[in-house]
Amino acid sequence: MKGKGKKESSKKSGSLAQSLMSKVCKWVKRIVVFFFVSTILVTFLYRFVPVYYTPLMFIRCFDQKMDGKEMHMDSRWVPITEISQSMVNAVIVAEDPHYLSHWGFDFYSIKRAAIRNLKNGKIVVGGSTISQQTAKNVFLWPDRSWVRKGFEVYFTVLIELLWNKERIMEVYLNIVELGDGIYGVEEASNHYFGKPARRLSSSQAALLAASLPNPFEYDPAHPSSLLYKREQIILKKMSYLGNVDLNAKE
C-alpha cells in the first residue's frame, strides 16, 4: 500500500510539473510573439511619425537630477528638407563613410575598431554605423552589455528593412545628442550658432559632426584645438565626397 501511495504521489507531482511547464511555455511564446509584433508595428509607425522623445533623453534627465542640475530636454524636430545638405555630408564622413552601401552594419569598420581596441586594451574607437546608432537611441538604453548589443542588432535590421536611408538619416539628425540636454541638429544649430539647421555652413556642420564622439566635452561654438583639427579633417573629406544623394541606394 505504501509503495502504491508513493507511485500515485510521484505521478501527481510529475503531472503538476508538466502542467506548470506547459503554462510557462505558453506564456513565453505569448511574450515572444508580443515582442516581435509590437516592435515591428512601432518601427513601421516611426517610418512616418516624428520621434520626439527617446529613452536616452529621459535617462539624461534622470542623470541631471542626480547631479543636482536642473532637468532640461531641448529638442526640435524638423524634416530632413529643413536640414543643411552640409550636415548630412558631415555626419556621413565623420560617423559612417559607407552609409549608403551597407545594410546596417559596416563589418570592415567593426573589424578595424576591434583591432584598435584590442591593441589599446580598452575601447578607444567604435564601429557602429549611423543605422546602429539610430536603432540604439530610438529604442534602447546606453549600455555596453551583450544583451543590449543583441537588441541593437535586431532593431538595426528592422529599420533597415522598414525605413529607407533618407528616413534613417532624418531620425538620426533629429535625436542625436549634441550637448547636455541638447538633441538634434536643429536645436544644436540654434544653441551654438543662433541659426536654423537649414542655414548651417559647411564649417559649422563639420564642427557639430566633430563633436559627436563626446558632445559633453566639445563646444562647437568655441572649438578647442582638437575639435578644430577634427573639423578640418571632416571638411577635407567632405570636399572629396560631394553632396550625398540619400535615395541613391533605392
Side-chain angles (χ1 to χ4, degrees):
M1 294 292 291
K2 290 184 178 180
K4 187 177 180 180
K6 287 182 178 179
K7 286 181 180 181
E8 289 179 354
S9 177
S10 178
K11 286 181 180 180
K12 287 181 180 180
S13 297
S15 179
L16 285 172
Q18 287 179 352
S19 177
L20 180 61
M21 183 61 68
S22 178
K23 289 181 180 179
V24 170
C25 288
K26 285 181 180 179
W27 275 105
V28 170
K29 288 179 181 178
R30 289 174 183 173
I31 292 170
V32 170
V33 170
F34 174 78
F35 171 78
F36 282 110
V37 171
S38 61
T39 53
I40 290 171
L41 286 175
V42 170
T43 305
F44 181 75
L45 183 65
Y46 277 158
R47 169 67 178 84
F48 308 99
V49 178
V51 184
Y52 292 115
Y53 304 105
T54 68
L56 178 65
M57 294 180 186
F58 293 107
I59 291 170
R60 293 299 191 221
C61 282
F62 178 77
D63 291 341
Q64 291 166 354
K65 184 69 174 178
M66 293 301 293
D67 291 339
K69 301 177 182 177
E70 182 180 349
M71 291 191 297
H72 65 102
M73 183 195 301
D74 302 321
S75 175
R76 305 184 199 182
W77 177 277
V78 293
I80 197 165
T81 53
E82 292 295 313
I83 297 174
S84 167
Q85 178 68 47
S86 294
M87 194 69 239
V88 174
N89 299 339
V91 295
I92 285 179
V93 300
E95 295 290 294
D96 192 356
H98 304 116
Y99 178 65
L100 290 181
S101 61
H102 65 64
W103 292 92
F105 308 96
D106 187 345
F107 295 105
Y108 173 76
S109 295
I110 292 172
K111 180 181 178 181
R112 184 178 59 181
I115 292 172
R116 285 189 61 184
N117 294 335
L118 284 172
K119 285 182 178 179
N120 287 274
K122 60 180 180 179
I123 296 177
V124 295
V125 64
S128 294
T129 63
I130 286 174
S131 300
Q132 287 177 270
Q133 293 178 51
T134 303
K136 178 187 69 176
N137 290 337
V138 172
F139 300 104
L140 303 171
W141 61 96
D143 187 18
R144 294 188 182 277
S145 70
W146 287 108
V147 172
R148 205 276 295 155
K149 202 68 179 175
F151 281 119
E152 180 186 306
V153 170
Y154 169 71
F155 281 108
T156 300
V157 171
L158 268 190
I159 66 172
E160 282 283 343
L161 288 172
L162 299 177
W163 303 357
N164 57 28
K165 287 293 185 180
E166 184 179 58
R167 178 58 176 176
I168 294 173
M169 179 62 73
E170 182 176 56
V171 174
Y172 173 78
L173 291 176
N174 273 286
I175 65 171
V176 66
E177 189 175 30
L178 284 162
D180 186 12
I182 301 171
Y183 304 94
V185 298
E186 177 71 10
E187 183 63 36
S189 180
N190 279 279
H191 178 83
Y192 293 117
F193 306 120
K195 61 171 66 174
R198 68 177 184 274
R199 292 176 51 206
L200 282 170
S201 67
S202 295
S203 177
Q204 291 166 337
L207 280 169
L208 288 176
S211 71
L212 285 173
N214 196 336
F216 291 94
E217 180 179 339
Y218 299 129
D219 182 355
H222 306 91
S224 62
S225 58
L226 178 59
L227 189 62
Y228 179 74
K229 288 179 182 178
R230 287 180 53 82
E231 175 215 13
Q232 293 303 303
I233 293 172
I234 291 171
L235 282 172
K236 188 175 182 179
K237 291 181 179 179
M238 286 169 65
S239 67
Y240 295 143
L241 178 68
N243 287 337
V244 176
D245 181 4
L246 292 173
N247 295 310
K249 189 174 180 179
E250 295 184 292

